[in-house]
Amino acid sequence: MFGVTELSVRSGVPVPTIHHYRKLGLLPPADRLRRCFVYSDQHVAALGAIRALRAHQVRLDTIRRVLPDLMADGGHVFSEDTWRALLAAGSVPAIDPAAERLLEVARQAFARQGYDGVSVGEICESAGIAKGTFYRYFESKDALFVAAALSTVDAVGEELDKHKTALSQAEAVGQLELLLTPLAPLLLEAATRELRDGPTSPGVAASVAQGLATRLGPRLRASGQRLPTARKVVETVILRLVRPALGLRSP
């Protein structure tokens, strides 16, 4: 058991936001010790699920309804079966076109200029959206950055889905590297921010890697073990993108 400050460190969610979610009834009940609430790993998992759903522009009232199902599944919000079931049931609404434009512009802007090199106002202007409208979709610039990094999975996945024929492992490596290269700075910055904050559980970068493998698997020609092969492809591409920045030689 631990306090709200430790919960914030473990989950990456600011303390005021945690209090807000608790008051809205989004989090599992917390025990009370003297005058303070105490939390557990279950609350860390719940906050991870909330962050993932918010990154997909899911409303808080919808999250309150679907979160118990996700927690019953162990809190693995990216479980393919659970996610598909929620989509099929209509629990997760389609992304608003304005939010899609914001994400597309943000992906490109953060990848080219970095988090500190671009402002919310500049992103809104490029997306053709009033700055006041921005906060209907995202709570902050940080929330947009996380959502933009996570949206890499769908952006790359849509391009992979255009291939009508199955890809060999070598072809998949080449295709994924081509698609990920322009977005590599965004993903590397997301990973760097998580390393700096010292996450205690898989975060944005790990979720992107898992999501890419899930989207790539059905496109592979490999017989049987498509997902393990897809994971190997993703790992290979990520290492290829990272090596030059670290001054490492190719194996």
Side-chain angles (χ1 to χ4, degrees):
M1 306 294 284
F2 39 83
V4 69
T5 301
E6 179 66 16
L7 177 60
S8 177
V9 171
R10 295 190 182 201
S11 65
V13 177
V15 171
T17 303
I18 292 173
H19 287 316
H20 179 58
Y21 289 161
R22 179 177 56 78
K23 291 176 182 178
L24 290 177
L26 295 177
L27 297 178
D31 293 330
R32 200 176 187 99
L33 183 63
R34 296 177 184 172
R35 296 184 178 181
C36 301
F37 288 103
V38 290
Y39 302 89
S40 67
D41 290 338
Q42 184 185 29
H43 296 91
V44 178
L47 288 169
I50 292 171
R51 284 187 65 177
L53 289 167
R54 289 296 284 163
H56 285 79
Q57 292 78 55
V58 180
R59 294 166 56 92
L60 289 176
D61 55 347
T62 302
I63 292 175
R64 184 164 46 235
R65 189 174 71 251
V66 304
L67 191 58
D69 290 335
L70 293 175
M71 297 305 297
D73 196 38
H76 303 298
V77 70
F78 288 103
S79 165
E80 197 69 13
D81 290 341
T82 302
W83 194 253
R84 284 177 178 171
L86 290 171
L87 287 171
S91 298
V92 181
I95 296 179
D96 187 288
E100 284 218 29
R101 288 200 300 277
L102 282 169
L103 284 175
E104 182 178 358
V105 171
R107 276 197 309 273
Q108 298 171 2
F110 287 135
R112 288 196 307 266
Q113 300 167 254
Y115 182 87
D116 293 328
V118 63
S119 68
V120 168
E122 291 169 336
I123 291 174
C124 290
E125 183 177 355
S126 297
I129 294 171
K131 187 174 180 180
T133 305
F134 170 86
Y135 295 99
R136 295 182 187 176
Y137 304 105
F138 301 99
E139 298 171 353
S140 63
K141 178 182 174 182
D142 187 68
L144 175 62
F145 179 85
V146 171
L150 289 172
S151 72
T152 300
V153 174
D154 287 334
V156 172
E158 288 172 4
E159 292 300 316
L160 291 173
D161 290 344
K162 292 179 181 178
H163 288 268
K164 302 304 181 183
T165 57
L167 301 169
S168 68
Q169 184 172 336
E171 289 170 338
V173 167
Q175 187 63 33
L176 187 60
E177 185 174 8
L178 180 66
L179 294 172
L180 274 187
T181 295
L183 299 172
L186 167 60
L187 300 180
L188 289 175
E189 185 167 6
T192 300
R193 282 157 60 94
E194 290 174 2
L195 285 172
R196 188 183 300 120
D197 295 337
T200 58
S201 60
V204 174
S207 295
V208 170
Q210 177 181 329
L212 288 172
T214 300
R215 292 296 296 264
L216 178 62
R219 312 292 341 139
L220 292 178
R221 194 180 302 157
S223 58
Q225 301 296 313
R226 283 190 172 89
L227 188 55
T229 302
R231 287 174 179 152
K232 185 175 182 180
V233 169
V234 172
E235 290 174 3
T236 298
V237 171
I238 290 175
L239 287 174
R240 281 191 180 185
L241 295 174
V242 170
R243 279 196 184 99
L246 298 179
L248 301 177
R249 297 179 181 179
S250 299

Short mmCIF file of all heavy atoms in Angstrom, two decimals, residues 168-178 180-181 184 188 209-210 212-213 216 220 227-244 248-251:
data_model
loop_
_atom_site.label_atom_id
_atom_site.label_comp_id
_atom_site.label_asym_id
_atom_site.label_seq_id
_atom_site.Cartn_x
_atom_site.Cartn_y
_atom_site.Cartn_z
N SER A 168 6.75 -11.12 -46.37
CA SER A 168 7.74 -11.97 -45.73
C SER A 168 8.34 -11.19 -44.55
O SER A 168 8.12 -9.98 -44.40
CB SER A 168 8.85 -12.33 -46.72
OG SER A 168 9.61 -11.18 -47.04
N GLN A 169 9.10 -11.88 -43.72
CA GLN A 169 9.70 -11.20 -42.58
C GLN A 169 10.63 -10.08 -43.04
O GLN A 169 10.61 -8.97 -42.49
CB GLN A 169 10.47 -12.20 -41.71
CG GLN A 169 11.04 -11.59 -40.44
CD GLN A 169 11.62 -12.64 -39.50
OE1 GLN A 169 11.24 -13.81 -39.54
NE2 GLN A 169 12.54 -12.24 -38.65
N ALA A 170 11.43 -10.34 -44.07
CA ALA A 170 12.35 -9.33 -44.58
C ALA A 170 11.59 -8.14 -45.17
O ALA A 170 11.96 -6.98 -44.97
CB ALA A 170 13.27 -9.94 -45.64
N GLU A 171 10.51 -8.43 -45.91
CA GLU A 171 9.71 -7.36 -46.49
C GLU A 171 9.05 -6.53 -45.40
O GLU A 171 8.95 -5.30 -45.50
CB GLU A 171 8.64 -7.95 -47.41
CG GLU A 171 9.19 -8.54 -48.70
CD GLU A 171 8.13 -9.32 -49.46
OE1 GLU A 171 7.15 -9.76 -48.85
OE2 GLU A 171 8.31 -9.50 -50.69
N ALA A 172 8.60 -7.19 -44.33
CA ALA A 172 7.96 -6.48 -43.23
C ALA A 172 8.94 -5.54 -42.53
O ALA A 172 8.58 -4.41 -42.17
CB ALA A 172 7.39 -7.49 -42.23
N VAL A 173 10.18 -6.01 -42.36
CA VAL A 173 11.21 -5.15 -41.75
C VAL A 173 11.42 -3.90 -42.59
O VAL A 173 11.44 -2.77 -42.08
CB VAL A 173 12.53 -5.92 -41.59
CG1 VAL A 173 13.68 -4.96 -41.24
CG2 VAL A 173 12.40 -6.98 -40.50
N GLY A 174 11.56 -4.08 -43.91
CA GLY A 174 11.77 -2.95 -44.79
C GLY A 174 10.60 -1.98 -44.80
O GLY A 174 10.79 -0.76 -44.75
N GLN A 175 9.38 -2.52 -44.87
CA GLN A 175 8.19 -1.68 -44.92
C GLN A 175 7.99 -0.92 -43.61
O GLN A 175 7.69 0.27 -43.61
CB GLN A 175 6.96 -2.53 -45.22
CG GLN A 175 5.69 -1.73 -45.47
CD GLN A 175 5.80 -0.84 -46.69
OE1 GLN A 175 6.46 -1.17 -47.67
NE2 GLN A 175 5.15 0.31 -46.64
N LEU A 176 8.15 -1.62 -42.48
CA LEU A 176 7.95 -0.97 -41.19
C LEU A 176 9.01 0.10 -40.95
O LEU A 176 8.71 1.17 -40.40
CB LEU A 176 7.98 -2.02 -40.07
CG LEU A 176 7.61 -1.51 -38.67
CD1 LEU A 176 6.20 -0.94 -38.64
CD2 LEU A 176 7.73 -2.63 -37.64
N GLU A 177 10.24 -0.19 -41.35
CA GLU A 177 11.30 0.81 -41.18
C GLU A 177 11.00 2.06 -41.99
O GLU A 177 11.19 3.20 -41.52
CB GLU A 177 12.65 0.23 -41.60
CG GLU A 177 13.81 1.17 -41.34
CD GLU A 177 15.16 0.52 -41.62
OE1 GLU A 177 15.18 -0.62 -42.15
OE2 GLU A 177 16.19 1.13 -41.29
N LEU A 178 10.49 1.88 -43.21
CA LEU A 178 10.14 3.02 -44.06
C LEU A 178 9.05 3.87 -43.40
O LEU A 178 9.12 5.11 -43.42
CB LEU A 178 9.66 2.50 -45.41
CG LEU A 178 9.23 3.55 -46.44
CD1 LEU A 178 10.42 4.40 -46.86
CD2 LEU A 178 8.59 2.88 -47.65
N LEU A 180 8.17 3.94 -40.11
CA LEU A 180 8.49 4.44 -38.78
C LEU A 180 9.59 5.50 -38.77
O LEU A 180 9.67 6.29 -37.82
CB LEU A 180 8.92 3.28 -37.87
CG LEU A 180 7.82 2.52 -37.14
CD1 LEU A 180 8.44 1.52 -36.16
CD2 LEU A 180 6.88 3.45 -36.38
N THR A 181 10.44 5.51 -39.78
CA THR A 181 11.57 6.44 -39.77
C THR A 181 11.16 7.89 -39.53
O THR A 181 11.76 8.58 -38.69
CB THR A 181 12.39 6.31 -41.07
OG1 THR A 181 12.97 5.00 -41.13
CG2 THR A 181 13.49 7.35 -41.13
N ALA A 184 10.23 8.25 -35.81
CA ALA A 184 11.17 7.75 -34.81
C ALA A 184 11.50 8.78 -33.74
O ALA A 184 11.54 8.44 -32.55
CB ALA A 184 12.44 7.24 -35.49
N LEU A 188 11.15 8.02 -29.78
CA LEU A 188 12.34 8.07 -28.94
C LEU A 188 12.17 9.09 -27.81
O LEU A 188 12.62 8.85 -26.68
CB LEU A 188 13.57 8.42 -29.78
CG LEU A 188 14.05 7.32 -30.73
CD1 LEU A 188 15.20 7.84 -31.59
CD2 LEU A 188 14.51 6.10 -29.95
N ALA A 209 5.02 -0.46 -29.27
CA ALA A 209 5.68 -1.66 -29.80
C ALA A 209 4.71 -2.84 -29.83
O ALA A 209 4.63 -3.58 -30.82
CB ALA A 209 6.90 -2.00 -28.94
N GLN A 210 3.93 -3.00 -28.76
CA GLN A 210 2.96 -4.10 -28.71
C GLN A 210 1.88 -3.90 -29.76
O GLN A 210 1.48 -4.85 -30.45
CB GLN A 210 2.33 -4.17 -27.33
CG GLN A 210 1.24 -5.25 -27.21
CD GLN A 210 0.61 -5.28 -25.82
OE1 GLN A 210 1.26 -4.96 -24.84
NE2 GLN A 210 -0.66 -5.65 -25.76
N LEU A 212 2.04 -2.21 -32.60
CA LEU A 212 2.58 -2.42 -33.95
C LEU A 212 2.69 -3.90 -34.27
O LEU A 212 2.36 -4.33 -35.39
CB LEU A 212 3.95 -1.76 -34.06
CG LEU A 212 3.97 -0.22 -34.09
CD1 LEU A 212 5.40 0.29 -34.01
CD2 LEU A 212 3.28 0.31 -35.34
N ALA A 213 3.13 -4.69 -33.30
CA ALA A 213 3.23 -6.14 -33.53
C ALA A 213 1.86 -6.74 -33.78
O ALA A 213 1.69 -7.61 -34.65
CB ALA A 213 3.90 -6.81 -32.32
N LEU A 216 0.79 -5.75 -37.26
CA LEU A 216 1.62 -6.34 -38.30
C LEU A 216 1.37 -7.84 -38.47
O LEU A 216 1.42 -8.36 -39.59
CB LEU A 216 3.10 -6.11 -37.97
CG LEU A 216 4.13 -6.72 -38.93
CD1 LEU A 216 3.98 -6.12 -40.33
CD2 LEU A 216 5.55 -6.47 -38.40
N LEU A 220 1.61 -10.79 -42.15
CA LEU A 220 2.80 -11.60 -42.41
C LEU A 220 2.48 -12.90 -43.13
O LEU A 220 1.41 -13.47 -42.96
CB LEU A 220 3.52 -11.91 -41.09
CG LEU A 220 4.16 -10.73 -40.36
CD1 LEU A 220 4.77 -11.19 -39.05
CD2 LEU A 220 5.21 -10.06 -41.24
N LEU A 227 2.45 -13.67 -34.45
CA LEU A 227 2.69 -12.62 -33.47
C LEU A 227 4.13 -12.61 -32.97
O LEU A 227 4.74 -11.54 -32.92
CB LEU A 227 1.70 -12.76 -32.30
CG LEU A 227 1.74 -11.60 -31.29
CD1 LEU A 227 1.52 -10.26 -31.98
CD2 LEU A 227 0.68 -11.81 -30.21
N PRO A 228 4.73 -13.77 -32.62
CA PRO A 228 6.14 -13.74 -32.25
C PRO A 228 7.04 -13.20 -33.37
O PRO A 228 8.00 -12.47 -33.10
CB PRO A 228 6.46 -15.21 -31.94
CG PRO A 228 5.15 -15.78 -31.52
CD PRO A 228 4.13 -15.10 -32.39
N THR A 229 6.71 -13.56 -34.61
CA THR A 229 7.50 -13.05 -35.74
C THR A 229 7.32 -11.54 -35.87
O THR A 229 8.29 -10.81 -36.12
CB THR A 229 7.07 -13.73 -37.05
OG1 THR A 229 7.24 -15.15 -36.92
CG2 THR A 229 7.90 -13.23 -38.23
N ALA A 230 6.09 -11.07 -35.69
CA ALA A 230 5.82 -9.63 -35.77
C ALA A 230 6.58 -8.88 -34.68
O ALA A 230 7.12 -7.80 -34.93
CB ALA A 230 4.31 -9.38 -35.64
N ARG A 231 6.62 -9.44 -33.48
CA ARG A 231 7.36 -8.80 -32.39
C ARG A 231 8.85 -8.70 -32.74
O ARG A 231 9.50 -7.70 -32.47
CB ARG A 231 7.18 -9.60 -31.10
CG ARG A 231 5.80 -9.44 -30.48
CD ARG A 231 5.63 -10.36 -29.30
NE ARG A 231 4.32 -10.22 -28.67
CZ ARG A 231 3.70 -11.17 -28.01
NH1 ARG A 231 4.27 -12.37 -27.89
NH2 ARG A 231 2.51 -10.96 -27.46
N LYS A 232 9.37 -9.77 -33.36
CA LYS A 232 10.78 -9.76 -33.75
C LYS A 232 11.04 -8.69 -34.80
O LYS A 232 12.06 -8.00 -34.77
CB LYS A 232 11.17 -11.14 -34.29
CG LYS A 232 12.65 -11.28 -34.60
CD LYS A 232 13.01 -12.70 -35.01
CE LYS A 232 14.50 -12.84 -35.30
NZ LYS A 232 14.85 -14.23 -35.69
N VAL A 233 10.11 -8.54 -35.74
CA VAL A 233 10.23 -7.51 -36.77
C VAL A 233 10.25 -6.12 -36.13
O VAL A 233 11.10 -5.28 -36.46
CB VAL A 233 9.08 -7.61 -37.79
CG1 VAL A 233 9.04 -6.38 -38.69
CG2 VAL A 233 9.22 -8.88 -38.62
N VAL A 234 9.32 -5.87 -35.21
CA VAL A 234 9.24 -4.57 -34.55
C VAL A 234 10.52 -4.29 -33.78
O VAL A 234 11.08 -3.18 -33.85
CB VAL A 234 8.02 -4.51 -33.61
CG1 VAL A 234 8.05 -3.23 -32.77
CG2 VAL A 234 6.73 -4.57 -34.42
N GLU A 235 11.02 -5.27 -33.05
CA GLU A 235 12.26 -5.09 -32.28
C GLU A 235 13.43 -4.79 -33.21
O GLU A 235 14.26 -3.92 -32.92
CB GLU A 235 12.54 -6.33 -31.45
CG GLU A 235 11.58 -6.54 -30.30
CD GLU A 235 11.80 -7.86 -29.59
OE1 GLU A 235 12.74 -8.59 -29.97
OE2 GLU A 235 11.02 -8.18 -28.66
N THR A 236 13.49 -5.51 -34.33
CA THR A 236 14.57 -5.30 -35.30
C THR A 236 14.55 -3.88 -35.84
O THR A 236 15.59 -3.21 -35.91
CB THR A 236 14.45 -6.30 -36.46
OG1 THR A 236 14.57 -7.63 -35.96
CG2 THR A 236 15.53 -6.04 -37.51
N VAL A 237 13.36 -3.40 -36.20
CA VAL A 237 13.24 -2.06 -36.77
C VAL A 237 13.58 -0.99 -35.74
O VAL A 237 14.30 -0.02 -36.04
CB VAL A 237 11.82 -1.84 -37.34
CG1 VAL A 237 11.62 -0.38 -37.73
CG2 VAL A 237 11.60 -2.75 -38.54
N ILE A 238 13.07 -1.14 -34.53
CA ILE A 238 13.35 -0.15 -33.49
C ILE A 238 14.85 -0.07 -33.22
O ILE A 238 15.42 1.03 -33.08
CB ILE A 238 12.57 -0.49 -32.20
CG1 ILE A 238 11.07 -0.24 -32.43
CG2 ILE A 238 13.07 0.36 -31.02
CD1 ILE A 238 10.20 -0.65 -31.26
N LEU A 239 15.52 -1.22 -33.16
CA LEU A 239 16.97 -1.22 -32.94
C LEU A 239 17.70 -0.57 -34.11
O LEU A 239 18.69 0.15 -33.92
CB LEU A 239 17.46 -2.65 -32.74
CG LEU A 239 17.11 -3.29 -31.39
CD1 LEU A 239 17.53 -4.76 -31.36
CD2 LEU A 239 17.77 -2.54 -30.24
N ARG A 240 17.23 -0.79 -35.32
CA ARG A 240 17.85 -0.16 -36.48
C ARG A 240 17.74 1.36 -36.40
O ARG A 240 18.67 2.08 -36.79
CB ARG A 240 17.18 -0.65 -37.77
CG ARG A 240 17.61 -2.01 -38.24
CD ARG A 240 17.09 -2.27 -39.64
NE ARG A 240 17.48 -3.58 -40.14
CZ ARG A 240 17.21 -4.01 -41.37
NH1 ARG A 240 16.56 -3.22 -42.23
NH2 ARG A 240 17.60 -5.22 -41.75
N LEU A 241 16.60 1.84 -35.91
CA LEU A 241 16.38 3.29 -35.82
C LEU A 241 17.18 3.91 -34.69
O LEU A 241 17.58 5.08 -34.78
CB LEU A 241 14.89 3.56 -35.62
CG LEU A 241 13.97 3.17 -36.77
CD1 LEU A 241 12.51 3.37 -36.38
CD2 LEU A 241 14.30 3.97 -38.02
N VAL A 242 17.42 3.15 -33.63
CA VAL A 242 18.11 3.68 -32.46
C VAL A 242 19.62 3.65 -32.62
O VAL A 242 20.32 4.55 -32.14
CB VAL A 242 17.69 2.90 -31.19
CG1 VAL A 242 18.58 3.27 -30.00
CG2 VAL A 242 16.24 3.17 -30.86
N ARG A 243 20.16 2.63 -33.29
CA ARG A 243 21.62 2.43 -33.35
C ARG A 243 22.38 3.67 -33.85
O ARG A 243 23.39 4.05 -33.24
CB ARG A 243 21.94 1.23 -34.24
CG ARG A 243 21.79 -0.10 -33.53
CD ARG A 243 22.48 -1.21 -34.33
NE ARG A 243 22.24 -2.49 -33.69
CZ ARG A 243 21.32 -3.36 -34.09
NH1 ARG A 243 20.55 -3.07 -35.12
NH2 ARG A 243 21.16 -4.50 -33.45
N PRO A 244 21.98 4.31 -34.96
CA PRO A 244 22.75 5.46 -35.42
C PRO A 244 22.81 6.58 -34.39
O PRO A 244 23.86 7.23 -34.23
CB PRO A 244 21.97 5.91 -36.68
CG PRO A 244 21.25 4.69 -37.13
CD PRO A 244 20.88 3.97 -35.89
N LEU A 248 26.12 3.14 -32.54
CA LEU A 248 26.39 1.70 -32.51
C LEU A 248 26.46 1.15 -33.93
O LEU A 248 25.76 1.63 -34.83
CB LEU A 248 25.30 0.97 -31.72
CG LEU A 248 25.11 1.41 -30.27
CD1 LEU A 248 23.95 0.65 -29.63
CD2 LEU A 248 26.39 1.16 -29.47
N ARG A 249 27.29 0.14 -34.12
CA ARG A 249 27.39 -0.51 -35.41
C ARG A 249 26.26 -1.52 -35.58
O ARG A 249 25.76 -2.08 -34.62
CB ARG A 249 28.74 -1.23 -35.55
CG ARG A 249 29.95 -0.34 -35.50
CD ARG A 249 31.21 -1.16 -35.63
NE ARG A 249 32.40 -0.32 -35.56
CZ ARG A 249 33.64 -0.79 -35.63
NH1 ARG A 249 33.84 -2.12 -35.73
NH2 ARG A 249 34.68 0.01 -35.56
N SER A 250 25.91 -1.74 -36.83
CA SER A 250 24.91 -2.77 -37.12
C SER A 250 25.54 -4.12 -36.90
O SER A 250 26.74 -4.32 -37.16
CB SER A 250 24.41 -2.67 -38.56
OG SER A 250 23.81 -1.42 -38.79
N PRO A 251 24.75 -5.11 -36.40
CA PRO A 251 25.29 -6.44 -36.14
C PRO A 251 25.67 -7.14 -37.44
O PRO A 251 25.16 -6.84 -38.49
CB PRO A 251 24.14 -7.16 -35.44
CG PRO A 251 22.92 -6.45 -35.90
CD PRO A 251 23.31 -5.04 -36.12
#
